[in-house]
Amino acid sequence: MSGNVQLLNDTLAAAKSEGRAALIAYLPAGFPTVTGGIEAVKAALDGGADVVEVGLPHSDPVLDGPVIQTADDIALRGGVKIADVMRTVREAHEATGKPILVMTYWNPIDRYGVERFTAELAEAGGAGCILPDLPVQESALWRQHADKHGLATVFVVAPSSKDARLAEITAAGSGFVYAASLMGVTGTRESVGAQAEDLVRRTRATTDTPVCVGLGVSNAAQAAEVAGFADGVIVGSAFVKRMLDAPDDAAGLEGVRALAADLAKGVRGQA
């Protein structure tokens, strides 16, 4: 069974052909429940997201801010397992036909087994993995299995990355490059900042792979700003916050769907 890296590539290319950036949503598996998390992913895609990153909840999420940490904690206390992450990917992809990636720290994969993880993710219809804490120089085993199973390997670059390091990272990655808009953890912010635009420019000088920007985007105006210079706009904490702040699960799903629709207008310049 081959994964859906080609679907991811085609989706990003289709957005570019429409003269816009892709909208990429992030939601953790198992939050507020496994079934509720699947419905949330479907709501984001139904609302207008092109791609979804499904977070694998982790007890030490070094890149994640307080909003996603809270959701991860709820999922972990609910007993979420890697099998539930795979189920989330499978059911969301089957329901929508859109590309679904997993965003995870390296430790859970290492413990689970790289071959087992990549094979199961491909079988579930996954498009790839975002690995924020896996150093490129230690990624050969992962990339070997990901390539074998038709999965993208998305690495994260930061404003602190030197040009030579950017070239090393982009040469090893596939699908897209995740450009962290600023130094720090995930969360909504008032401004995405000029650092992100400079990082995209420097990253593009090393690769033809799409460059997508995350960390800090929470509304249509910010999405439109980032869409002006990036190939994709990644939004996570704002979606999770809609669910955390909702009075009940149904309202949370409606909040996710509405935010996706608003952001979709932003990446199309209609905000």
Side-chain angles (χ1 to χ4, degrees):
M1 180 79 183
S2 183
N4 274 313
V5 62
Q6 192 58 51
L7 176 63
L8 174 64
N9 294 341
D10 292 347
T11 300
L12 294 172
K16 184 176 183 178
S17 74
E18 293 171 14
R20 66 174 179 90
L23 174 59
I24 303 175
Y26 166 94
L27 287 156
F31 166 74
T33 61
V34 176
T35 300
I38 292 166
E39 292 305 313
V41 173
K42 286 155 60 174
L45 291 165
D46 290 344
D50 299 290
V51 180
V52 166
E53 305 170 5
V54 171
L56 194 161
H58 188 47
S59 55
D60 186 26
V62 293
L63 184 72
D64 296 316
V67 171
I68 291 174
Q69 283 189 28
T70 298
D72 276 6
D73 186 53
I74 290 167
L76 290 167
R77 282 191 280 118
V80 69
K81 300 284 191 292
I82 287 178
D84 299 313
V85 177
M86 299 300 178
R87 178 188 158 200
T88 301
V89 171
R90 176 182 292 104
E91 294 192 15
H93 173 64
E94 286 178 351
T96 65
K98 293 188 178 181
I100 316 288
L101 299 102
V102 169
M103 186 166 187
T104 178
Y105 297 98
W106 179 246
N107 183 257
I109 294 178
D110 193 37
R111 291 180 60 188
Y112 197 72
V114 176
E115 167 60 21
R116 181 184 176 196
F117 189 94
T118 51
E120 289 183 7
L121 182 56
E123 191 275 328
C129 236
I130 300 150
L131 301 158
D133 67 339
L134 178 63
V136 169
Q137 60 271 24
E138 296 173 22
S139 67
L141 178 66
W142 164 267
R143 286 187 286 128
Q144 174 192 332
H145 287 291
D147 289 348
K148 181 171 82 171
H149 290 292
L151 299 169
T153 297
V154 179
F155 289 114
V156 178
V157 298
S160 60
S161 303
K162 305 293 186 203
D163 289 352
R165 178 68 174 157
L166 288 175
E168 184 183 3
I169 292 170
T170 58
S174 57
F176 63 91
V177 183
Y178 187 125
S181 65
L182 69 174
M183 302 304 291
V185 297
T186 58
T188 61
R189 288 175 171 80
E190 293 300 313
S191 171
V192 180
Q195 277 188 320
E197 188 168 1
D198 180 63
L199 177 59
V200 170
R201 179 187 57 77
R202 292 193 299 117
T203 305
R204 277 190 175 147
T206 71
T207 184
D208 292 328
T209 303
V211 183
C212 303
V213 171
L215 274 64
V217 179
S218 62
N219 58 49
Q222 290 174 334
E225 177 193 352
V226 173
F229 58 80
D231 300 297
V233 180
I234 303 168
V235 181
S237 295
F239 281 112
V240 176
K241 194 168 189 307
R242 288 288 178 109
M243 295 180 68
L244 284 170
D245 291 349
D248 54 52
D249 290 352
L253 293 176
E254 190 46 50
V256 166
R257 192 175 288 106
L259 177 59
D262 194 39
L263 293 165
K265 290 179 182 174
V267 299
R268 287 167 172 80
Q270 299 167 357

